[in-house]
């Protein structure tokens, strides 16, 4: 089944906002076993939108359009799609009531007249309720031609829920076989080495397949199988996943796409009944932020310290003045004392420290931009590692965060 994506909105066309919807939908449709050959971005122009929709319908089985379903005059997606499929619009009382209920729920003032425009739907269309907004989604089918257009609101928090709850099951029913997958996530091993370790598994693959995805400081491998049921797919994927565990061992922290590295670490701390603190210099709170993004992190994370200046390292973490004078703030010795000092100050079982030169300035021949020391103290035992990153300021900080999380995971295990 061939699916085509059309993203509607002049703000996308001109680059005012990033088109995250297309990336999300392309990946999800591929996982459902759909073929995608074209993506289009079209502005809020009636003539060009109609041309784009007609062209997409001619060459694809399903056309998914996002955006242009709002209450304003330039929201034209529904009207143009209805014209392409030869349908008249009518007022859907169910959708109208949901819009009224929505405004009442958020305690807004009276609904403006143009909001009722969102309750107009094409004849014969399948109406999909919007659980996070006002504009309903729509599926317009042309059974004679075997074609369909799926219209979804543009805001990502509305689009994603609608796709996962209603659109994905609809598409899945149209497929003779479903696509199922696991994401094998690896930390502590570089992309080149990781790919080399499974090169033979990727060669000559058919069902299941194995594909690598490089992430900052991590490598993910998607294991995908096509089967009539999830149970059958699991049987196909299990031997390959088992083989990857044989090769990567504890470097694999999950096989579930939704689980992040920081989530796996928080869970590990909970299992061990341990608490954590962080002491950051060049990362400026990014490390703590990653950990605190995890629901339930408060059970294990005690407090954190951003000690950017030498004075704060001395005052808050107890780093010796002699250490800073002899070795400098960016040194193995300072990272070690930061980790031990943070653990003592927070009375935590484990502590991570980060000190480095993120750039773009501040580097020397002896200590270049990208030099970072990461310390990890667990029950008083400290490990310090030196890293030399080669990205810009933001990338160097991001890599430092992932390396710190990886080091903590290794120490805990």
């Amino acid at each position: 089944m061939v699916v085509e994506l059309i993203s509607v909105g002049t703000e996308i066309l001109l680059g005012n906002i990033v088109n995250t919807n297309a990336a999300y939908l392309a990946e999800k449709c591929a996982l459902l076993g759909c073929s995608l050959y074209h993506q289009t971005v079209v502005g809020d122009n009636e003539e060009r939108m109609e041309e784009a929709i007609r062209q997409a319908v001619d060459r694809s089985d399903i056309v998914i359009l996002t955006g242009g379903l709002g209450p304003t005059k330039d929201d034209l997606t529904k009207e143009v799609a209805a014209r392409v499929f030869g349908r008249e619009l009518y007022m859907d009382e169910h959708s109208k009531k949901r819009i009224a209920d929505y405004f009442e729920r958020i305690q807004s003032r009276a609904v403006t007249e143009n909001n009722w425009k969102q309750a107009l739907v094409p004849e014969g269309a399948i109406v999909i309720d919007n659980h996070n907004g006002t504009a309903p989604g729509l599926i317009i089918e042309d059974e004679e031609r075997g074609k369909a257009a799926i219209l979804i609101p543009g805001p990502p928090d509305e689009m994603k829920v609608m796709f996962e709850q209603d659109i994905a099951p609809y598409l899945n029913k149209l497929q003779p076989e479903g696509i199922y997958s696991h994401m094998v996530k690896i930390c502590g091993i570089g992309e080149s080495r990781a790919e080399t370790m499974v090169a033979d598994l990727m060669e000559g693959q058919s069902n299941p397949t194995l594909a690598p995805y490089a992430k900052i400081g991590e490598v993910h491998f998607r294991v995908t199988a096509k089967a009539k049921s999830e149970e059958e797919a699991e049987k196909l994927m299990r031997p390959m996943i088992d083989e990857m565990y044989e090769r990567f061992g504890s470097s694999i922290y999950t096989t579930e796409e939704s689980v992040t590295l920081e989530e796996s670490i928080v869970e590990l701390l909970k299992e061990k009944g341990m608490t954590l603190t962080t002491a950051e210099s060049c990362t400026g709170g990014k490390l703590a932020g990653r950990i605190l993004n995890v629901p339930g992190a408060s059970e294990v994370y005690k407090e954190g310290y951003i000690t950017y200046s030498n004075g704060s390292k001395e005052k808050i973490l107890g780093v010796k003045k002699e250490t800073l004078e002899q070795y400098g703030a960016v040194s193995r010795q300072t990272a070690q004392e930061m980790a031990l000092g943070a653990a003592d100050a927070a009375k935590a079982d484990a502590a991570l420290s980060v000190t480095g030169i993120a750039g773009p300035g501040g580097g020397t021949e002896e200590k270049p931009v990208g030099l970072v020391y990461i310390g990890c103290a667990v029950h008083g035992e400290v490990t310090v590692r030196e890293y030399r990153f080669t990205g810009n300021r933001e990338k160097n900080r991001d890599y430092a965060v992932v390396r710190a999380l990886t080091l903590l995971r290794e120490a805990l295990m």
Side-chain angles (χ1 to χ4, degrees):
M1 181 172 64
V2 178
V3 171
E4 184 161 340
L5 306 179
I6 299 179
S7 303
V8 177
T10 302
E11 68 279 10
I12 300 173
L13 191 64
L14 298 181
N16 299 131
I17 63 171
V18 178
N19 191 3
T20 57
N21 284 355
Y24 170 86
L25 290 170
E27 182 178 21
K28 293 299 181 182
C29 288
L31 290 175
L32 289 169
C34 304
S35 299
L36 288 94
Y37 303 132
H38 299 91
Q39 290 186 23
T40 302
V41 177
V42 63
D44 301 307
N45 178 278
E46 195 167 351
E47 183 179 332
R48 287 191 286 273
M49 194 186 303
E50 181 172 347
E51 181 185 355
I53 296 173
R54 289 191 185 279
Q55 186 179 47
V57 170
D58 285 342
R59 65 191 178 194
S60 305
D61 302 308
I62 305 286
V63 182
I64 300 178
L65 299 104
T66 52
L69 298 180
T72 61
K73 289 182 179 179
D74 63 349
D75 290 312
L76 301 166
T77 303
K78 175 174 54 187
E79 289 78 3
V80 175
R83 185 161 64 243
V84 170
F85 280 79
R87 308 291 175 85
E88 295 293 328
L89 297 175
Y90 74 96
M91 182 62 68
D92 178 47
E93 294 300 327
H94 169 77
S95 296
K96 186 176 181 180
K97 184 178 185 307
R98 284 186 63 85
I99 292 170
D101 291 345
Y102 175 86
F103 279 97
E104 183 178 346
R105 189 167 66 250
I106 64 172
Q107 297 182 339
S108 177
R109 295 178 180 178
V111 185
T112 56
E113 193 62 31
N114 59 353
N115 274 288
W116 302 128
K117 172 178 179 285
Q118 296 174 102
L120 291 170
V121 305
E123 293 174 336
I126 300 170
V127 179
I128 302 167
D129 290 340
N130 188 336
H131 299 286
N132 286 339
T134 52
L138 299 163
I139 301 176
I140 310 172
E141 296 176 316
D142 184 343
E143 294 181 359
E144 187 176 330
R145 298 175 62 195
K147 308 279 187 175
I150 300 174
L151 284 57
I152 314 176
D157 63 329
E158 299 177 30
M159 179 274 296
K160 289 181 180 180
V161 172
M162 194 174 289
F163 185 87
E164 290 167 11
Q165 290 188 1
D166 298 284
I167 307 301
Y170 172 82
L171 292 173
N172 214 24
K173 287 179 182 177
L174 302 179
Q175 293 284 83
E177 290 184 308
I179 300 291
Y180 303 89
S181 70
H182 281 286
M183 189 70 87
V184 180
K185 297 186 178 182
I186 296 164
C187 62
I189 297 178
E191 178 187 1
S192 299
R193 183 179 162 215
E195 286 195 37
T196 301
M197 290 172 68
V198 292
D200 58 314
L201 297 179
M202 291 192 289
E203 291 174 6
Q205 56 187 331
S206 55
N207 192 23
T209 59
L210 182 65
Y213 298 83
K215 304 289 182 180
I216 291 179
E218 302 181 41
V219 183
H220 299 177
F221 288 93
R222 187 182 294 283
V223 181
T224 306
K226 182 181 288 188
K228 292 180 179 178
S229 67
E230 185 174 1
E231 184 180 4
E232 184 181 331
E234 289 289 341
K235 288 179 181 178
L236 289 169
M237 290 186 285
R238 181 45 51 192
M240 183 173 284
I241 293 173
D242 288 344
E243 181 59 30
M244 295 188 75
Y245 269 106
E246 283 290 321
R247 301 186 188 196
F248 293 109
S250 62
S251 294
I252 297 175
Y253 68 85
T254 187
T255 59
E256 298 303 321
E257 186 162 9
S258 62
V259 176
T260 63
L261 178 58
E262 53 268 31
E263 285 175 334
S264 72
I265 289 169
V266 167
E267 190 59 36
L268 196 55
L269 286 164
K270 288 180 182 179
E271 289 174 6
K272 293 180 175 292
M274 294 174 63
T275 55
L276 172 69
T277 185
T278 55
E280 303 178 64
S281 183
C282 64
T283 48
K286 273 199 162 192
L287 175 57
R290 278 282 293 267
I291 295 164
L292 294 176
N293 277 340
V294 180
S298 59
E299 295 179 37
V300 298
Y301 189 82
K302 299 200 74 173
E303 57 192 59
Y305 312 98
I306 300 174
T307 54
Y308 211 68
S309 69
N310 285 1
S312 64
K313 290 179 177 66
E314 291 182 58
K315 179 182 177 181
I316 298 172
L317 303 177
V319 176
K320 298 184 185 70
K321 186 176 183 180
E322 296 79 8
T323 300
L324 292 166
E325 289 177 346
Q326 182 175 354
Y327 301 105
V330 180
S331 64
R332 185 178 297 275
Q333 292 80 1
T334 296
Q336 177 172 318
E337 291 186 23
M338 285 174 68
L340 287 171
D344 182 61
K347 299 296 182 285
D349 302 305
L352 283 171
S353 65
V354 185
T355 181
I357 306 168
T364 64
E365 188 173 338
E366 183 181 306
K367 294 184 177 181
V369 168
L371 175 65
V372 175
Y373 289 96
I374 298 173
C376 179
V378 177
H379 295 311
E381 294 292 324
V382 188
T383 301
V384 178
R385 288 189 184 162
E386 176 186 310
Y387 297 93
R388 292 177 183 254
F389 304 123
T390 58
N392 58 25
R393 180 179 180 83
E394 199 64 18
K395 280 286 178 65
N396 290 339
R397 296 170 76 216
D398 288 339
Y399 271 107
V401 168
V402 176
R403 294 296 183 225
L405 291 170
T406 302
L407 177 56
L408 174 61
R409 183 174 178 273
E410 290 176 9
L412 292 174
M413 294 182 70

